[in-house]
Amino acid sequence: MSTQAVNGSVSRGKVLTLDTMNPNVKKVEYAVRGAIVQRALQIEKELKEGVKKPFTEVIKANIGDAHAMGQKPITFLRQVLALCSYPALLEDNKFPEDAKQRARRILAACGGHSIGAYSASQGIECIRQDVSRYIEKRDGGIPSNPDNIYLSTGASDAIVTMLKLLVCGEGHDRTGVMISIPQYPLYSAALADLAAVQISYYLDEDKCWSLDVTELKRAVTAARQHCNPRVLCIINPGNPTGQVQSRQCIEDVIRFAKEEHLFVMADEVYQDNVYAEGCKFHSFKKVLFEMGPEYSSTVEMASFHSTSKCYMGECGFRGGYMEVINMDPEVKAQLTKLVSVRLCPPVTGQALLDLVVNPPQPDEPSYSMFMKERTEVLAALAEKARLTEKTFNTVPGIICNPVQGAMYTFPRITLPQKCIDTAKEEGLAPDMFYCMRLLEEEGICLVPGSGFGQREGTFHFRMTILPPTEKLKDVLQKIRDFHVRFTKQFS
Amino acid sequence: MMSSLKHVNPTVKGIKESAHSVLQSLAAHVTQEIAQVLAVCLHPELLGNKTLPLDVRLRAQRLLEVCEGGSVGSYTDSSGIPHIRQSIADFIIRRDVGVPSYANNVFISAGSQKGLMVILKLLASGEGDTQTGVLTPMPCPHTLPTLLDDAGMTLVPYQLMEDQGWAVDLSELHRALKCGRGHCNPRAIYISNPGNPTGHVQDWKSIEEVIRFAAAERLLLMVDEVYQDSVYGQGKEFLSYKRVLFEMGKEYSETVELVSFHSLSSACMGECGLRAGYMELVNMDPEVMYFVDTMLCTDISTPVTGQLALDLMVKPPKPGDHSYDTYTQEILLIRATLSQNAQRAHEFLNDLPGMSSQPAMGGIYLYSRLHLPSDIIQKAKIVEVEADVLYCQMLLEEEGVFLGAGCQNGETTGNHYLRLCILVPTDTLEKVLAQLASFHLRLIDKHPPTDR
């Protein structure tokens, strides 16, 4: 309390220190932006100041940011957003009519006809309606109710909101949340922040990172000893692994969720990013409804999407939504209340989302350019996915599963014992040690597998496949050479 | 259903409903310069569009250079684009007549509330009577009690002095703190200047008093200065807490932990939908600041269009720029409208029987006392709502006018208040006042008031 004031002379210790800080915050980590990225930024600064290095630029292949790596935005999307921002441009005949029509519609739905106004907390109504229609079309007509759509500040916002809603209980009764190993570290960070119990289930690296229900069963059964498992998180297509779940697998997961009374959170932000032959995106909701009313009217689910990935790559807008299915009305009321606390998601993001779910149609002027750009982006990613897998598999000591979807590769690396020992001495995870070396020697920034979780004794790194093809070839070559050198050095 | 209400996070269930979904949609306006610059940044093809002023296009070009890959679609650093953090620091130095400000102490977030949530989260600890408490003004911004609930903190109310234009009273601060220590661990004090919703603007002496109090009682000082650009009261000016702090000598300026907030959702900008704000952390433990960045990481980054608008807000057009005249006129008009509206609304409401208001000196609200007839108070008790909420509901039903009820601002004294947003076009205000008067007089006529 204020013993210092009572003493008269005020002690100059701070009110807010690591010791007096919220203990949960200390456990929050986000590897995608952690220590290695800090070092990468430092190196960039040094390069700018003219310090000599074995490379001239830092390639940040650590974060799924397409535009930062040179991917161009889709013309139609940006035209509409410019019109929304400065409506006087509606008079400019350089803008196509379909872009203007959408801008007018969005502006009409905004307060005061301006994207500067707050919107309703759940998101602009006509945009939620458009999202519903998109989902219905995508899922072969299965109905979607706009009331079940919550627009959000990127998918991350919606994911954290749902977790917050569902975490309760004390001690043995504390909510347990199942998440894959490896996983996208937003989940583990959020669970640490909420002091929820993380229940890890391992994806099968030998079977192309597929999900096995027996493993889910093992994990949940063990977890019941010390917590109350209530949520199952799936990322499909996967991050960092890129695996695309088969339809059968999704059915098995839904069946499992029903048996174990789990709320399913389906993170589907990479739904357009599917490359491998024979792979297809199946939405969890669609599969659920095709399993008949026994499942479709009981299994509780939330699915998430965003404007940051797919062919748009518009991370900076923070657009996204979630659809909740079979939620108890009283619980839903609490959810609606919870989202109102943060006022509203950014309106530019909402507008962008509207365009993503409402793209140019075949009979509209912008259609052919839009489809051309979209196809080019996705084709380039598919090509880079194949190139990456092929190249890494030529390196002795690197095993790379096919990149079936998403934007990343998560190859397994063999590290010599000497490297493991040296890393230990320096207090670093061996794959962090490896990645730091790579950064210092080649200026390539990756994220060590330890940031995502992996089986004990295995090592990985996550690299994005986003750099332009020529640069990517160069990066792959450099990593190959580095790996050989490194292995030799530490034998 | 598998998940029922009993399985919902108790912290979430504890959040009190806050009716702000029908917010000031009338208040939205975008200065032309910002609208144009953003349009060009969104669609860089417009860089060659000669119908747009040169300074706009040059500005957009400069801003695109600080975006990764030259695109507003990229992520940024979690604490904000470094160039923009520096712009903000420069703005603060200019505003505070030379007091140093560093980009590394400036954290950009998606709206000032997000920044506030991060600080609250860091502070929150303990349970029951060791739970962190925050001294909170009554009345306070209507979203604040909800945020405190959400962060799991105890609200320790201190009354602002209505008869002194809603000024802060030191003895009341002491009383509130003493009371708070009885049931929680107060570690921070929150204040808004200009006051939200009161419109009170603190003078130098008042700010000094609060700083001294916070220092002596070891409280982290959180200051909401979001309406700093709209001060219109006679002889009043905005003084930042930081500026006053730095004139109080090293004993204070090197020790008092101060967090101040600003945002696009201010009076002159009104860019609420773009969702960007910033906070400046002064004398914060560097190890703690590391976690501020980590907490902001979970949102990955603030929307880029919002960040760009912040840059435009803190570095507006200069004399000689093509956009300067239009910009200056727009700002002058907004300020004049606000000042006029504040004056008009204050006089109008004061003239109504059963209403009294303190003049607002700044900000976007008028906060008016309602002396309600005892019948209305009774009626409210029966349907289990606050009387001012009932009043507002009836007003909405009968006249279609939506005003805020004082209880949303945490009012606990048993008095009733009305919160009127004055950041609206003048003729809209006239309409609203006329409709309010019509409704109010009808009500008073039907139910004689208890007192005046």
Side-chain angles (χ1 to χ4, degrees):
Chain A
M1 310 265 175
S2 78
T3 47
Q4 293 83 359
V6 166
N7 285 341
S9 68
V10 190
S11 145
R12 285 307 158 194
K14 296 201 183 280
V15 175
L16 191 54
T17 63
L18 284 192
D19 293 328
T20 62
M21 194 176 86
N22 184 339
N24 288 343
V25 173
K26 276 182 251 183
K27 302 193 213 109
V28 175
E29 275 171 354
Y30 186 61
V32 180
R33 295 224 171 196
I36 194 155
V37 180
Q38 301 305 319
R39 178 66 192 139
L41 293 172
Q42 211 178 340
I43 292 176
E44 262 186 338
K45 221 178 184 177
E46 289 171 17
L47 280 171
K48 237 190 219 135
E49 290 162 6
V51 177
K52 278 272 166 280
K53 302 240 174 235
F55 45 86
T56 52
E57 64 165 336
V58 175
I59 297 175
K60 296 207 275 285
N62 56 296
I63 190 160
D65 188 342
H67 291 204
M69 288 286 113
Q71 182 178 306
K72 294 280 158 260
I74 302 290
T75 306
F76 180 76
L77 304 179
R78 295 303 192 86
Q79 284 175 328
V80 180
L81 291 173
L83 289 166
C84 287
S85 174
Y86 184 50
L89 291 170
L90 288 164
E91 306 306 312
D92 186 329
N93 58 17
K94 283 198 219 69
F95 287 87
E97 196 50 48
D98 49 0
K100 290 185 182 175
Q101 182 254 348
R102 278 175 183 67
R104 283 191 199 104
R105 184 163 172 279
I106 290 168
L107 286 170
C110 292
H113 287 248
S114 166
I115 56 168
Y118 280 123
S119 80
S121 301
Q122 203 173 329
I124 293 171
E125 186 167 0
C126 81
I127 298 180
R128 288 189 288 115
Q129 288 167 354
D130 289 351
V131 170
S132 272
R133 268 194 289 272
Y134 161 83
I135 294 172
E136 283 177 354
K137 198 164 165 199
R138 181 197 69 189
D139 294 346
I142 294 164
S144 169
N145 185 342
D147 273 345
N148 291 336
I149 306 292
Y150 290 79
L151 303 192
S152 55
T153 306
S156 306
D157 170 31
I159 290 166
V160 171
T161 299
M162 274 314 300
L163 288 173
K164 191 179 211 167
L165 186 72
L166 295 172
V167 171
C168 67
E170 303 294 320
H172 199 230
D173 214 29
R174 190 75 178 156
T175 299
V177 177
M178 299 187 71
I179 182 65
S180 59
I181 298 297
Q183 49 107 28
Y184 171 52
L186 165 76
Y187 288 90
S188 49
L191 295 179
D193 186 17
L194 293 166
V197 179
Q198 179 172 329
I199 304 170
S200 304
Y201 63 88
Y202 290 87
L203 298 176
D204 192 340
E205 183 160 19
D206 297 333
K207 294 213 185 96
C208 211
W209 296 114
S210 65
L211 216 168
D212 184 357
V213 177
T214 30
E215 167 58 13
L216 289 178
K217 186 81 186 168
R218 177 210 61 78
V220 82
T221 309
R224 287 199 194 284
Q225 307 286 320
H226 60 269
C227 72
N228 182 9
R230 293 186 51 231
V231 185
L232 169 60
C233 298
I234 312 260
I235 309 172
N236 181 50
N239 177 1
T241 55
Q243 93 281 13
V244 177
Q245 304 295 353
S246 69
R247 203 218 145 76
Q248 183 60 52
C249 178
I250 296 175
E251 264 189 41
D252 293 343
V253 169
I254 291 172
R255 218 164 267 125
F256 168 79
K258 182 168 157 68
E259 279 161 17
E260 302 289 342
H261 302 290
L262 300 172
F263 188 106
V264 178
M265 287 179 48
D267 177 345
E268 299 176 325
V269 304
Y270 298 103
Q271 55 191 263
D272 290 341
N273 301 109
V274 175
Y275 321 120
E277 203 61 56
C279 286
K280 188 168 174 247
F281 171 71
H282 300 279
S283 88
F284 261 77
K285 185 187 178 196
K286 180 163 192 243
V287 176
L288 175 68
F289 275 73
E290 288 174 353
M291 287 169 74
E294 185 200 345
Y295 292 91
S296 63
S297 61
T298 61
V299 175
E300 290 156 68
M301 189 181 287
S303 47
F304 305 88
H305 195 19
S306 141
T307 58
S308 304
K309 313 295 178 187
C310 295
Y311 64 89
M312 306 81 72
E314 299 277 16
C315 317
F317 285 86
R318 319 307 295 118
Y321 74 78
M322 71 172 157
E323 181 183 25
V324 301
I325 297 147
N326 292 328
M327 192 177 260
D328 177 308
E330 285 187 313
V331 174
K332 188 158 178 293
Q334 294 292 318
L335 172 62
T336 305
K337 182 180 73 173
L338 184 56
V339 304
S340 74
V341 175
R342 57 102 169 93
L343 297 174
C344 75
V347 176
T348 34
Q350 294 189 48
L352 174 62
L353 180 66
D354 192 51
L355 302 171
V356 170
V357 300
N358 208 0
Q361 294 305 296
D363 58 341
E364 291 185 294
S366 303
Y367 179 74
S368 52
M369 162 117 93
F370 172 81
M371 282 309 290
K372 177 167 173 286
E373 290 176 342
R374 179 183 192 275
T375 309
E376 265 167 20
V377 167
L378 292 174
L381 284 170
E383 181 48 44
K384 291 190 272 191
R386 275 189 289 275
L387 176 67
T388 300
E389 180 202 342
K390 192 157 147 243
T391 310
F392 277 147
N393 280 326
T394 66
V395 187
I398 300 187
I399 305 173
C400 185
N401 268 320
V403 178
Q404 293 178 338
M407 294 175 171
Y408 316 96
T409 179
F410 197 68
R412 177 138 127 229
I413 49 176
T414 310
L415 296 177
Q417 189 57 45
K418 200 163 158 213
C419 154
I420 297 171
D421 296 335
T422 314
K424 199 167 178 186
E425 279 165 33
E426 294 192 16
L428 291 173
D431 45 23
M432 172 63 103
F433 179 78
Y434 175 96
C435 289
M436 281 292 201
R437 274 302 181 96
L438 177 64
L439 176 61
E440 301 287 343
E441 289 181 27
E442 301 290 345
I444 297 168
C445 183
L446 308 177
V447 188
S450 43
F452 302 89
Q454 57 204 345
R455 281 207 183 272
E456 186 76 41
T458 65
F459 310 105
H460 302 77
F461 60 73
R462 187 189 81 166
M463 184 189 87
T464 69
I465 58 168
L466 297 173
T469 309
E470 283 315 304
K471 191 168 267 182
L472 181 66
K473 282 188 183 145
D474 192 42
V475 167
L476 292 169
Q477 170 93 301
K478 291 202 164 87
I479 295 176
R480 175 165 63 195
D481 295 344
F482 167 82
H483 189 87
V484 169
R485 232 173 31 239
F486 183 90
T487 307
K488 208 181 251 173
Q489 192 185 350
F490 283 91
S491 353
Chain B
M1 299 293 146
M2 296 184 287
S3 300
S4 68
L5 197 54
K6 70 174 191 279
H7 293 128
V8 168
N9 188 333
T11 307
V12 174
K13 283 191 283 196
I15 296 172
K16 295 180 215 27
E17 199 81 58
S18 170
H20 57 242
S21 54
V22 187
L23 260 182
Q24 56 259 34
S25 50
L26 295 163
H29 63 84
V30 180
T31 66
Q32 187 172 277
E33 189 230 4
I34 291 184
Q36 289 174 333
V37 174
L38 289 183
V40 180
C41 290
L42 285 162
H43 189 50
E45 223 177 82
L46 292 169
L47 282 167
N49 184 322
K50 298 218 170 56
T51 65
L52 294 168
L54 182 62
D55 63 318
V56 161
R57 291 182 286 133
L58 288 173
R59 190 68 183 266
Q61 194 173 52
R62 181 73 190 98
L63 288 172
L64 285 170
E65 281 168 12
V66 304
C67 296
E68 295 287 333
S71 166
V72 299
S74 305
Y75 286 125
T76 74
D77 290 353
S78 297
S79 299
I81 296 173
H83 170 93
I84 299 181
R85 291 170 79 183
Q86 187 60 56
S87 296
I88 293 170
D90 294 338
F91 158 77
I92 294 172
I93 294 171
R94 280 194 312 270
R95 181 198 68 191
D96 294 344
V97 198
V99 174
S101 174
Y102 305 99
N104 288 341
N105 292 341
V106 173
F107 293 83
I108 298 176
S109 58
S112 64
Q113 275 205 148
K114 177 69 207 176
L116 177 60
M117 259 327 264
V118 168
I119 300 297
L120 291 179
K121 265 223 172 109
L122 289 172
L123 274 168
S125 65
E127 266 166 25
D129 60 1
T130 60
Q131 186 172 81
T132 301
V134 178
L135 262 74
T136 307
M138 292 287 122
C140 67
H142 55 273
T143 52
L144 186 56
T146 306
L147 290 177
L148 291 172
D149 274 347
D150 195 13
M153 299 169 100
T154 307
L155 191 159
V156 179
Y158 63 91
Q159 282 299 128
L160 298 173
M161 303 290 117
E162 180 170 8
D163 53 5
Q164 291 161 47
W166 297 108
V168 185
D169 181 279
L170 190 58
S171 52
E172 168 58 13
L173 287 179
H174 281 288
R175 180 213 62 78
L177 182 61
K178 185 160 178 228
C179 174
R181 285 191 173 135
H183 62 270
C184 70
N185 180 13
R187 295 172 65 217
I189 173 169
Y190 179 98
I191 190 159
S192 61
N193 180 49
N196 175 353
T198 62
H200 175 78
V201 174
Q202 284 181 282
D203 60 18
W204 194 290
K205 177 161 170 287
S206 173
I207 295 176
E208 251 196 24
E209 257 180 9
V210 174
I211 294 174
R212 250 186 260 279
F213 171 77
E217 302 297 341
R218 304 243 308 134
L219 300 168
L220 189 127
L221 192 44
M222 295 184 292
V223 190
D224 168 1
E225 298 178 322
V226 161
Y227 297 124
Q228 56 187 268
D229 58 1
S230 62
V231 172
Y232 38 77
Q234 275 285 15
K236 296 282 176 185
E237 66 167 324
F238 170 73
L239 291 163
S240 78
Y241 263 72
K242 186 172 177 218
R243 180 165 169 210
V244 175
L245 175 66
F246 273 69
E247 300 250 352
M248 287 169 73
K250 289 210 174 120
E251 187 198 348
Y252 292 94
S253 64
E254 286 182 2
T255 61
V256 173
E257 288 150 81
L258 168 69
V259 182
S260 50
F261 301 92
H262 195 17
S263 145
L264 282 178
S265 310
S266 63
C268 290
M269 288 295 114
E271 300 280 10
C272 329
L274 292 178
R275 312 303 292 119
Y278 72 80
M279 55 184 175
E280 185 186 22
L281 275 44
V282 176
N283 293 323
M284 188 76 79
D285 183 321
E287 288 184 315
V288 172
M289 289 216 290
Y290 169 81
F291 282 98
V292 171
D293 188 76
T294 307
M295 296 296 288
L296 289 170
C297 267
T298 54
D299 272 354
I300 311 180
S301 59
T302 299
V304 178
T305 42
Q307 294 194 47
L308 301 185
L310 271 179
D311 192 81
L312 295 162
M313 179 178 92
V314 300
K315 249 184 6 213
K318 302 180 306 294
D321 286 343
H322 182 108
S323 307
Y324 179 72
D325 286 339
T326 312
Y327 172 83
T328 311
Q329 274 166 34
E330 280 174 310
I331 298 294
L332 278 175
L333 180 61
I334 294 164
R335 289 215 173 106
T337 306
L338 210 49
S339 170
Q340 223 175 291
N341 285 355
Q343 178 82 337
R344 171 74 177 132
H346 164 65
E347 282 167 1
F348 189 97
L349 293 180
N350 249 347
D351 277 345
L352 287 175
M355 265 207 221
S356 58
S357 79
Q358 295 289 320
M361 301 283 124
I364 66 170
Y365 295 112
L366 194 68
Y367 195 67
S368 212
R369 175 99 177 263
L370 275 176
H371 306 265
L372 289 172
S374 51
D375 298 9
I376 298 295
I377 298 176
Q378 267 309 106
K379 208 170 160 197
K381 273 209 185 81
I382 293 168
V383 295
E384 290 184 10
V385 292
E386 295 293 334
D388 44 22
V389 170
L390 179 63
Y391 181 97
C392 290
Q393 268 171 8
M394 289 166 66
L395 173 64
L396 181 61
E397 275 164 36
E398 291 181 32
E399 297 287 340
V401 168
F402 182 82
L403 299 183
C407 66
Q408 293 159 359
N409 296 90
E411 195 47 61
T412 50
T413 56
N415 291 336
H416 305 108
Y417 296 85
L418 209 58
R419 187 181 72 248
L420 170 68
C421 177
I422 50 172
L423 185 65
V424 294
T426 303
D427 50 3
T428 307
L429 182 71
E430 283 305 315
K431 244 197 292 178
V432 167
L433 289 175
Q435 284 171 296
L436 174 61
S438 165
F439 165 81
H440 186 82
L441 291 168
R442 273 198 318 272
L443 192 82
I444 298 294
D445 205 45
K446 267 192 261 177
H447 316 269
T450 36
D451 67 289
R452 183 10 178 151

